[in-house]
Amino acid sequence: MNATDWLGFVGVALILLAYFLNEIGKISNKNIAFILLNLIGSTLACLASVLINYWPFIILEAAWALVSAVSLYKYYKPSKL
């Protein structure tokens, strides 16, 4: 396996870990760990897809990273009183 394979493998593993932990009730989808696992995982998977120039997964993982980034923003955004 080369570095690109490892980037993709680690990225997908982080996304799957977030999903698994959510499914077994260990973390909620509003939990910072869930958000960060998805954000970091999708960013790594997107980077690996860019390196191999595979557009379907570039689009998928970029969208996943964007949704995760929005969730992170909402997590830290001060609530209105």
Side-chain angles (χ1 to χ4, degrees):
M1 283 181 43
N2 60 34
T4 303
D5 293 332
W6 278 107
L7 276 175
F9 176 77
V10 170
V12 169
L14 292 174
I15 294 168
L16 291 174
L17 177 62
Y19 178 73
F20 176 74
L21 291 173
N22 179 255
E23 282 298 310
I24 65 171
K26 295 294 183 185
I27 59 175
S28 112
N29 62 345
K30 304 291 185 208
N31 187 290
I32 188 67
F34 180 85
I35 296 167
L36 289 174
L37 284 169
N38 274 296
L39 180 59
I40 295 166
S42 59
T43 301
L44 291 175
C46 186
L47 177 58
S49 299
V50 167
L51 293 173
I52 63 171
N53 197 32
Y54 192 63
W55 279 98
F57 279 99
I58 293 171
I59 294 166
L60 174 68
E61 298 303 338
W64 198 300
L66 180 60
V67 169
S68 298
V70 169
S71 294
L72 184 64
Y73 171 77
K74 287 181 180 180
Y75 183 85
Y76 283 110
K77 181 181 170 185
S79 61
K80 295 180 182 179
L81 296 175

